[in-house]
Amino acid sequence: MSKQKHDHDDDDDKIRIDKWLWAARFYKTRSLAKQAIDGGKIHCDGQRVKPSKEAAIGLELTIRQDWDEKTVVITALSAQRRGAPEAMLLYTETEASKALREKRAAERKAGLGNFIVSDHRPNKKERRHIHRFQRINLLGTED
């Protein structure tokens, strides 16, 4: 008797969310997926999740990676990591999410927004300026 291969594993009824994120190619390893979940970068229906949460079809996930935030709906389950074209079949990104990501990417490209990228850590003088700027903007006083 040989076990038949399915397009998407039908026997994967219960899959941990960290394993699904790895299989869907959002993260290179399961430990990176777990770190992202523990760090609060993955939300399910607006709530933080645990790595052991069971992934289910129809679940809406918000995934924050670098500058981008994606809202995806799980359309299929798989415990195996496959090629990128097959991994993209495991989820669909919402239209609102796509539009927002494209808008933010265009803003970054144009240099708009609050995106400051530095090539070094701030020195003592620069830190003082940063703290003074934050104090002025948050408290409205300069001291």
Side-chain angles (χ1 to χ4, degrees), residues 60-61 70-73 92-100:
E60 186 176 286
L61 298 176
K70 292 181 183 178
T71 302
V72 299
V73 177
T92 56
E93 186 175 2
T94 62
E95 292 300 321
S97 173
K98 286 181 189 177
L100 187 60

Side-chain angles (χ1 to χ4, degrees), residues 32-48:
L32 288 176
K34 183 181 181 308
Q35 287 174 4
I37 293 168
D38 290 338
K41 297 192 183 343
I42 310 296
H43 288 78
C44 176
D45 297 325
Q47 300 290 319
R48 283 182 71 162

Side-chain angles (χ1 to χ4, degrees), residues 23-140:
R25 295 184 153 269
F26 285 105
Y27 297 97
K28 281 189 174 186
T29 63
R30 276 185 68 185
S31 64
L32 288 176
K34 183 181 181 308
Q35 287 174 4
I37 293 168
D38 290 338
K41 297 192 183 343
I42 310 296
H43 288 78
C44 176
D45 297 325
Q47 300 290 319
R48 283 182 71 162
V49 296
K50 292 184 178 180
S52 61
K53 178 168 177 62
E54 191 176 305
I57 294 175
L59 212 59
E60 186 176 286
L61 298 176
T62 304
I63 304 166
R64 213 172 61 226
Q65 291 178 307
D66 297 325
W67 301 101
D68 292 329
E69 186 173 293
K70 292 181 183 178
T71 302
V72 299
V73 177
I74 297 175
T75 57
L77 301 176
S78 177
Q80 284 188 324
R81 187 172 170 98
R82 297 196 174 118
E86 288 183 53
M88 290 178 68
L89 299 174
L90 299 177
Y91 63 91
T92 56
E93 186 175 2
T94 62
E95 292 300 321
S97 173
K98 286 181 189 177
L100 187 60
R101 271 192 320 112
E102 289 170 3
K103 179 183 169 214
R104 287 185 178 164
E107 286 175 354
R108 281 195 307 273
K109 191 173 182 180
L112 303 174
N114 309 6
F115 302 104
I116 299 171
V117 179
S118 177
D119 59 345
H120 68 283
R121 290 178 60 181
N123 60 26
K124 189 172 183 176
K125 184 178 180 182
E126 291 168 334
R127 273 196 308 276
R128 275 194 233 117
H129 286 293
I130 291 168
H131 291 292
R132 192 165 127 238
F133 176 78
Q134 288 174 335
R135 223 178 11 256
I136 291 169
N137 286 328
L138 291 176
L139 303 175

